Amino acid sequence: METSRRDLMGLAIGGLGVVGVLGVLYPIVKTLAPSAASLAGAMMEVDVASIPEGQVRVVSWKGKPVFVVKLPQGFQWTGKAKEDKNAKLLQGQDAYALIAVCTHLGCVPLWKPQGEAEFNYPVFHCPCHGGFYSPWGDNIAGPPPRPLHVPPQKRDGSKLVIGEPGFVKELT
Amino acid sequence: MLGRIGRWIDERAHLSELWQAQMVDYKVPKNLTFPYAFGIMAIVAFAIQIISGIFLTMYYQPNVHTAFDSANYTIMKEVPFMWLIRHVHAAGANFFLAIVYLHIFTGIYYNAYKKPRELTWIVGWVIYFVLLVTALTGYLLPWGQLSYWGMVVTAEIPTSIDSAPLIGSLKIGETISIWMKGGYEIGQITLGRFFGLHIWLLPLILLLLVSVHLYLVRAAGISNPEGREIDKKKEGVPFHPYMTLKEGAYVMGYLAVFFFFVFFYMHHFLPPDNYDPADPFKTPAHIAPEWYLLAYYTIFRSIPDKFLGFVAFNLTLVFLLILPFLDFSPLKSARNRPLFFIMFIVLVISSMALTILGTMPPTPTNAMLGLVFTAGLFAFFLSLPIISIIEWGWYKARGGEKQ
């Protein structure tokens, strides 16, 4: 069967039509992609050197508040937590990030480096219903059902990169 | 005078010819039962949603700072009778879904998905799917605690794909989740997007699909509870006045029940938890999806593996879609199919049980019951090919004559 000019015209017009439809649909569908502002919050770099030892800085990652904890050299913690999940995960790190949302009802806990109530060593204390966490975010006492969540993070010299898999692979 | 105006218009628009052709000369089976009215009730429910929705858009403000107050103060307390319009819209959504479920089960019972009505069924399935998305997007708009956290959970569902073997590492699920929300969190972009989808795009798609669905119903003719095609000339009755008046009376009954709920029993449709403004840092203690999603939710959470649960509840939807091809028996209507009737009862009991289990806490016992009824639901769909083969045997043994 020989292709005629008419067939070629039909193919050309049909092809142009398909290209046109794709050209219209692509930008329309792409409007649903995540916004630049949101994507910018997917990775957070914190200069650990600028945080005083034994202090905590609050930053934002994926719209959630995140604690960046800086432990002093040779830090010894005398408390006892209900769990040791986070402590194992963050072993040997002098700086790390924890999602700053209490696992009970979602308040933001406070960092108490001098201790609080009957706990006379550094703890996180959630003022809403009296939840207590170790410096690694393991729940000690009160109503929280589980340790604080830990975001994926890696260490890059004096920088802590939150949102990139490193010594923590994925969100716990 | 009025008659003359009427005649003037009719000469130009030919309306009486249309009426005669489509309502009087159109013949339907005379033995249609009550469940055949669920279709027209669904259309009425759809009209109620569109009308009430139009008025709600006049006062609702799709902004995270004002959405809750516009829904709960401006609409409920400040603008005359808008409380009524919101009640109608909220109750109407639930009634719409309930009627659609009855309509679907009616279609399954009378085998209204069989040749030549497969396309009607498939378009109906798409309507159901779009309707679920419409209900979900609308539920976020009041920006209450349940609205917000319900959507947090819903947007997490696709991430189940990421716990799959092999394809899990591609993070397809997280991508879908982010595309749903427009970012990593549910915020202004999500709300604005859902508002646009809910008031424009999805209702327009629904209108188009419902039109196509109705055209296909007319094109194939209404199915028959006896399961045979009628000789329209001999056995049919005119659609008007027989069906119009009968269905008109049923619709009046439906509206009476509907407005009883609108005026006297709204607390289930506007739950108290949703009168707390959305708080991204406080998860409500008891969060479950709306009742029309509970069966899928139970299937999802009863199966111990997250990815398998995700597959199972999607499989339920897929089974519904391919129902006309799973059931290839020559017999129609559960009235003539004892085996099918038994499995249909299993389907109804399983669906209801899964829905009721969805309201209960996720204990091991409930998870086990959930698994049992999930098996019941799947048993219905998987038994259809077997029943079809058996019935072909009967059909041939009877010499393959028409029923």
Side-chain angles (χ1 to χ4, degrees):
Chain A
M1 183 74 194
E2 207 175 319
T3 43
S4 62
R5 263 188 215 186
R6 181 163 291 201
D7 291 341
L8 182 69
M9 291 285 281
L11 270 175
I13 292 169
L16 274 178
V18 169
V19 170
V21 167
L22 288 176
V24 170
L25 281 181
Y26 180 77
I28 288 180
V29 171
K30 274 300 253 191
T31 59
L32 298 175
S35 67
S38 182
L39 286 178
M43 208 192 73
M44 183 80 202
E45 281 193 359
V46 182
D47 186 11
V48 174
S50 67
I51 305 176
E53 291 199 340
Q55 291 300 320
V56 164
R57 176 175 296 173
V58 183
V59 298
S60 162
W61 174 73
K62 288 194 178 182
K64 296 182 190 77
V66 166
F67 292 132
V68 179
V69 185
K70 174 77 176 289
L71 298 179
Q73 295 242 308
F75 177 72
Q76 290 294 323
W77 192 67
T78 50
K80 191 175 175 319
K82 285 184 194 169
E83 312 198 30
D84 60 351
K85 223 174 94 269
N86 284 8
K88 276 188 178 149
L89 200 63
L90 304 167
Q91 221 166 21
Q93 299 292 336
D94 68 326
Y96 48 83
L98 304 167
I99 303 278
V101 177
C102 177
T103 52
H104 175 225
L105 286 176
C107 296
V108 177
L110 305 164
W111 173 239
K112 300 282 171 65
Q114 311 308 330
E116 171 80 20
E118 72 266 36
F119 306 104
N120 52 4
Y121 35 79
V123 287
F124 284 108
H125 170 227
C126 181
C128 290
H129 305 95
F132 285 90
Y133 299 92
S134 77
W136 298 278
D138 287 314
N139 43 332
I140 304 170
R146 48 153 298 143
L148 295 176
H149 294 277
V150 183
Q153 49 194 298
K154 72 173 187 201
R155 190 62 180 269
D156 198 358
S158 74
K159 286 217 175 9
L160 180 72
V161 185
I162 306 164
E164 297 258 310
F167 60 90
V168 181
K169 291 271 179 294
E170 52 185 16
L171 187 66
T172 58
Chain B
M1 183 69 199
L2 273 181
R4 281 184 62 191
I5 294 172
R7 272 196 302 283
W8 188 91
I9 293 173
D10 196 43
E11 273 172 21
R12 284 149 187 84
H14 300 278
L15 292 178
S16 60
E17 283 173 40
L18 191 70
W19 177 263
Q20 184 69 28
Q22 292 303 317
M23 303 297 279
V24 182
D25 293 344
Y26 175 65
K27 300 284 196 289
V28 293
K30 58 165 75 102
N31 55 348
L32 295 187
T33 49
F34 169 70
Y36 277 84
F38 291 141
I40 186 71
M41 288 181 195
I43 292 172
V44 169
F46 189 27
I48 287 174
Q49 287 313 89
I50 289 183
I51 295 164
S52 57
I54 287 170
F55 285 91
L56 284 167
T57 55
M58 297 179 186
Y59 304 103
Y60 172 75
Q61 298 169 28
N63 174 313
V64 289
H65 302 293
T66 55
F68 181 83
D69 287 354
S70 73
N72 291 300
Y73 293 95
T74 313
I75 285 172
M76 293 302 276
K77 292 181 165 53
E78 291 170 359
V79 182
F81 281 109
M82 276 308 293
W83 62 268
L84 176 60
I85 305 280
R86 187 179 178 204
H87 280 195
V88 165
H89 199 74
N94 287 277
F95 268 76
F96 195 176
L97 260 306
I99 287 290
V100 163
Y101 275 122
L102 290 168
H103 188 58
I104 291 170
F105 278 105
T106 304
I108 296 177
Y109 182 86
Y110 289 125
N111 297 179
Y113 50 80
K114 280 201 176 148
K115 191 183 171 195
R117 301 187 178 85
E118 296 97 327
L119 252 188
T120 317
W121 177 265
I122 289 165
V123 172
W125 183 91
V126 181
I127 291 175
Y128 170 59
F129 191 84
V130 176
L131 192 59
L132 289 182
V133 179
T134 312
L136 267 172
T137 48
Y139 200 63
L140 182 73
L141 304 186
W143 209 247
Q145 272 290 64
L146 289 182
S147 300
Y148 180 89
W149 287 97
M151 196 42 62
V152 168
V153 175
T154 308
E156 277 300 305
I157 290 172
T159 61
S160 315
I161 303 170
D162 298 344
S163 52
L166 296 175
I167 55 166
S169 55
L170 296 174
K171 295 284 175 210
I172 302 168
E174 199 190 356
T175 308
I176 296 173
S177 172
I178 291 168
W179 277 61
M180 278 168 82
K181 293 180 285 196
Y184 292 107
E185 44 181 332
I186 290 173
Q188 181 55 53
I189 285 180
T190 322
L191 181 62
R193 172 181 300 188
F194 276 31
F195 179 68
L197 286 172
H198 183 75
I199 69 159
W200 277 117
L201 183 63
L202 297 170
L204 284 177
I205 292 175
L206 276 177
L207 268 175
L208 178 77
L209 288 169
V210 168
S211 313
V212 173
H213 190 68
L214 280 172
Y215 167 77
L216 288 168
V217 168
R218 281 284 172 116
I222 294 184
S223 74
N224 190 305
E226 290 293 348
R228 57 196 179 82
E229 299 302 321
I230 59 161
D231 180 350
K232 284 191 174 180
K233 287 203 173 60
K234 289 199 187 105
E235 300 179 275
V237 291
F239 190 81
H240 178 79
Y242 291 89
M243 288 301 144
T244 45
L245 292 184
K246 192 164 112 174
E247 299 204 322
Y250 288 151
V251 165
M252 289 295 165
Y254 165 75
L255 289 175
V257 174
F258 174 64
F259 279 102
F260 169 79
F261 277 89
V262 165
F263 283 108
F264 304 112
Y265 201 80
M266 274 305 291
H267 69 81
H268 184 79
F269 305 137
L270 289 174
D273 277 359
N274 221 22
Y275 282 108
D276 290 331
D279 181 351
F281 294 126
K282 195 147 119 216
T283 316
H286 303 289
I287 182 109
E290 289 284 79
W291 67 266
Y292 41 82
L293 298 166
L294 285 176
Y296 300 114
Y297 169 70
T298 310
I299 295 170
F300 186 43
R301 79 175 187 193
S302 300
I303 293 171
D305 182 89
K306 195 176 169 188
F307 176 65
L308 285 181
F310 177 80
V311 169
F313 98 77
N314 279 288
L315 203 56
T316 314
L317 281 166
V318 172
F319 276 148
L320 273 174
L321 175 63
I322 60 169
L323 185 63
F325 311 102
L326 286 174
D327 182 0
F328 47 85
S329 156
L331 309 183
K332 279 186 196 170
S333 178
R335 285 186 184 184
N336 313 315
R337 307 175 64 192
L339 294 175
F340 178 89
F341 180 76
I342 292 166
M343 290 318 290
F344 178 79
I345 298 296
V346 170
L347 168 76
V348 172
I349 291 173
S350 303
S351 320
M352 287 170 126
L354 287 171
T355 301
I356 293 164
L357 280 169
T359 61
M360 298 178 177
T363 60
T365 315
N366 287 349
M368 201 195 67
L369 284 171
L371 273 176
V372 169
F373 288 114
T374 302
L377 192 75
F378 281 27
F380 167 75
F381 292 107
L382 297 174
S383 70
L384 288 177
I386 302 164
I387 293 174
S388 299
I389 290 166
I390 294 170
E391 286 178 348
W392 264 110
W394 296 349
Y395 184 72
K396 287 204 174 113
R398 281 202 238 106
E401 76 271 17
K402 294 244 163 19
Q403 306 157 35

